[in-house]
Amino acid sequence: MTAVEIAWDILDKIATIMDIIVGGVALWGLLFPTNFWSNIRKHLRGNIHQGGEEVDNINADGIIFTVSKKDTPIWTMKRANPQRVYLIGSQQTMEAVNSIKDFAHSKNIVVSDEELKDVDNVSEAKQLVTHAIEQLRQHGCKKIVIDVTGGKTPMSIGAFQAGDEADLTVIYVTAPFDQALKKPNLDSARIYVIREGQYGEQRGE
């Protein structure tokens, strides 16, 4: 067997092994979709802040939230005191969206919202967040921040992609879950900048 034949034989074996690995992962995700994707999400959520810088506050006149629960967006709004917010929710999170809207109205914050039809569609989430960015800019917002804490992982990915293309600051808020109260312990919440935007003043000093 020549050297070329040996090289091709090795490459063929590597390709076969890769096919087995990819097929196994896909089969596992198909057989155990809830646990599989839940574990992936927990890994991303738990480690996303490691690549970002913790900040005390965020200076923003417009904030876009991907929404799952009401607590964290309300906490962030209290700290940032934006003029406008844009909520990206879903049919399953309308109760939380409405609670956030009620809080925003009580603080004279102008609020808009969009409903995501498919929470697993990264492209749709990106499109809605891009539209939200355009709307906030049309209303005069100069310091726009995207909070990707809430929602399913595809929503957060789409929101991050939109923020990256628009060169905006993207943040993530972490807070330990209080088992007794069945909600995040926001007394221990932290803000991480996972993407620095074009406006340096967006970071609270």
Side-chain angles (χ1 to χ4, degrees), residues 97-129:
V97 167
N98 290 332
S99 295
I100 297 169
K101 290 169 68 174
D102 289 342
F103 172 81
H105 291 149
S106 72
K107 299 297 181 181
N108 296 318
I109 298 172
V110 179
V111 57
S112 302
D113 66 283
E114 290 277 358
E115 182 179 328
L116 190 66
K117 303 303 181 184
D118 183 357
V119 295
D120 294 313
N121 190 325
V122 173
S123 178
E124 184 186 359
K126 178 183 176 183
Q127 183 179 5
L128 290 185
V129 173

Side-chain angles (χ1 to χ4, degrees):
M1 184 178 287
T2 66
V4 174
E5 291 174 331
I6 292 173
W8 278 111
D9 184 59
I10 293 173
L11 290 174
D12 183 63
K13 290 179 180 178
I14 292 174
T16 300
I17 293 172
M18 291 301 298
D19 286 341
I20 293 172
I21 293 173
V22 172
V25 170
L27 179 61
W28 180 267
L30 184 63
L31 294 176
F32 308 99
T34 301
N35 291 336
F36 180 76
W37 293 114
S38 176
N39 289 336
I40 291 294
R41 183 184 180 194
K42 287 179 180 178
H43 175 75
L44 291 174
R45 296 296 200 194
N47 292 284
I48 195 168
H49 70 269
Q50 293 180 3
E53 179 184 356
E54 182 180 354
V55 295
D56 293 330
N57 211 339
I58 290 293
N59 179 20
D61 54 12
I63 304 179
I64 300 169
F65 293 97
T66 51
V67 178
S68 53
K69 305 291 184 182
K70 65 179 181 179
D71 306 273
T72 306
I74 289 175
W75 178 85
T76 303
M77 290 162 64
K78 288 178 179 178
R79 296 179 68 87
N81 194 29
Q83 298 173 13
R84 293 178 176 269
V85 298
Y86 214 108
L87 311 176
I88 307 298
S90 65
Q91 185 177 8
Q92 294 79 15
T93 65
M94 279 301 103
E95 183 177 350
V97 167
N98 290 332
S99 295
I100 297 169
K101 290 169 68 174
D102 289 342
F103 172 81
H105 291 149
S106 72
K107 299 297 181 181
N108 296 318
I109 298 172
V110 179
V111 57
S112 302
D113 66 283
E114 290 277 358
E115 182 179 328
L116 190 66
K117 303 303 181 184
D118 183 357
V119 295
D120 294 313
N121 190 325
V122 173
S123 178
E124 184 186 359
K126 178 183 176 183
Q127 183 179 5
L128 290 185
V129 173
T130 298
H131 176 71
I133 293 169
E134 294 171 352
Q135 291 296 304
L136 290 177
R137 283 176 168 167
Q138 287 180 12
H139 286 93
C141 292
K142 302 295 184 182
K143 296 171 287 186
I144 301 172
V145 169
I146 301 174
D147 185 334
V148 299
T149 308
K152 295 187 68 176
T153 300
M155 293 171 61
S156 297
I157 293 173
F160 181 90
Q161 290 178 342
D164 188 51
E165 287 190 2
D167 197 12
L168 298 178
T169 293
V170 181
I171 66 170
Y172 185 86
V173 178
T174 64
F177 190 79
D178 190 316
Q179 294 292 345
L181 298 176
K182 302 299 181 182
K183 64 179 183 178
N185 179 8
L186 295 174
D187 291 336
S188 301
R190 298 177 179 180
I191 302 172
Y192 288 91
V193 174
I194 58 175
R195 187 196 185 281
E196 188 73 71
Q198 60 182 320
Y199 302 112
E201 64 267 30
Q202 285 178 300
R203 295 171 50 186
E205 301 294 343

